[in-house]
Amino acid sequence: KNQVEQSPQSLIILEGKNCTLQCNYTVSPFSNLRWYKQDTGRGPVSLTIMTFSENTKSNGRYTATLDADTKQSSLHITASQLSDSASYICVVGSGGSYIPTFGRGTSLIVHP
Amino acid sequence: KAGVTQTPRYLIKTRGQQVTLSCSPISGHRSVSWYQQTPGQGLQFLFEYFSETQRNKGNFPGRFSGRQFSNSRSEMNVSTLELGDSALYLCASSSLNTEAFFGQGTRLTVV
């Protein structure tokens, strides 16, 4: 069964600090991995997408990494801002099916 | 360029009723997908429509159905509502070479 596990479930950090969110998956065959940011009451917004051959992708202060061998991805946020407070969702696409597999997300709170 | 528009934003229904939610995709996008989001289960894929045809379907009961019109606008319908259907329903639109863009969602509460 395809699964995506994210950790930690929630995280509280101080403004200006860095943090790393983890995503482990057991989706086969693997097609792509996306990280989304979802603000409270809004729809998810795509941050990065990576395919099998990519191991790093950056979008401003967000950097995603992918290790296809260990089936792990991380999202690193640099110099956090209050506006980074949101839920971060890891989504893995399967080459065998259009249906994506979602992680349950990491809730990040950035305090001043 | 207008984003994905979902209506209504909030809805309260009684158990046993049915409900129809609407999604207007970004102009030019022909694919529309629907998702259910709950605190317990997270985001779950419902179905995807392309050119008025359902291309993919998630693991939801037949009470959940949808359709897509010739202008790519899509509706989803839930019949015989249950308390467990209370959720945020999200739709996303995409074209061949773009990522999926999500709407703000419809918050459905079943009482």
Side-chain angles (χ1 to χ4, degrees), chain B residues 5-76:
Chain B
T5 304
Q6 291 189 244
T7 57
R9 288 293 312 278
Y10 303 93
L11 204 50
I12 300 176
K13 289 286 189 178
T14 305
R15 274 179 300 176
Q17 287 186 310
Q18 75 166 11
V19 67
T20 299
L21 312 181
S22 178
C23 174
S24 293
I26 291 172
S27 178
H29 286 189
R30 295 167 64 188
S31 171
V32 174
S33 305
W34 287 90
Y35 303 84
Q36 182 194 67
Q37 187 175 34
T38 60
Q41 298 295 323
L43 267 162
Q44 296 183 91
F45 173 79
L46 279 158
F47 28 66
E48 185 236 356
Y49 285 87
F50 182 84
S51 293
E52 303 178 65
T53 301
Q54 187 182 89
R55 279 203 304 196
N56 295 280
K57 188 176 190 304
N59 189 26
F60 276 80
R63 299 186 297 108
F64 292 81
S65 63
R67 58 178 175 169
Q68 186 179 34
F69 303 96
S70 58
N71 62 358
S72 293
R73 189 178 71 86
S74 178
E75 291 181 345
M76 69 162 281

Side-chain angles (χ1 to χ4, degrees), chain A residues 34 36 38 41-47 87 89 91 97-100 102-104, chain B residues 9 31 33 35 37 40-41 43 45 48 56-58 88 90 99-100 102-104:
Chain A
R34 298 174 186 266
Y36 283 90
Q38 185 175 21
R42 305 182 80 88
V45 174
S46 179
L47 294 174
S87 179
I89 302 169
V91 185
S97 163
Y98 170 85
I99 299 174
F102 293 86
R104 295 199 180 182
Chain B
R9 288 293 312 278
S31 171
S33 305
Y35 303 84
Q37 187 175 34
Q41 298 295 323
L43 267 162
F45 173 79
E48 185 236 356
N56 295 280
K57 188 176 190 304
L88 179 67
L90 292 159
E99 64 182 85
F102 283 85
Q104 304 246 45

Side-chain angles (χ1 to χ4, degrees), chain A residues 10-109:
Chain A
S10 61
L11 185 60
I12 301 174
I13 61 174
L14 291 176
E15 186 179 14
K17 297 296 186 183
N18 303 335
C19 68
T20 300
L21 314 181
Q22 300 289 342
C23 172
N24 296 339
Y25 61 92
T26 56
V27 176
S28 182
F30 173 86
S31 174
N32 58 68
L33 186 146
R34 298 174 186 266
W35 283 94
Y36 283 90
K37 177 188 178 189
Q38 185 175 21
D39 293 314
T40 302
R42 305 182 80 88
V45 174
S46 179
L47 294 174
T48 64
I49 176 172
M50 289 181 291
T51 57
F52 186 87
S53 59
E54 298 173 295
N55 53 27
T56 302
K57 185 73 72 79
S58 290
N59 178 1
R61 294 180 297 102
Y62 301 100
T63 299
T65 65
L66 173 65
D67 185 334
D69 291 331
T70 62
K71 299 187 177 181
Q72 295 180 325
S73 175
S74 65
L75 180 69
H76 186 74
I77 304 174
T78 304
S80 61
Q81 300 176 358
L82 298 179
S83 60
D84 292 331
S85 296
S87 179
Y88 292 83
I89 302 169
C90 175
V91 185
V92 181
S94 169
S97 163
Y98 170 85
I99 299 174
T101 304
F102 293 86
R104 295 199 180 182
T106 292
S107 175
L108 175 65
I109 297 174

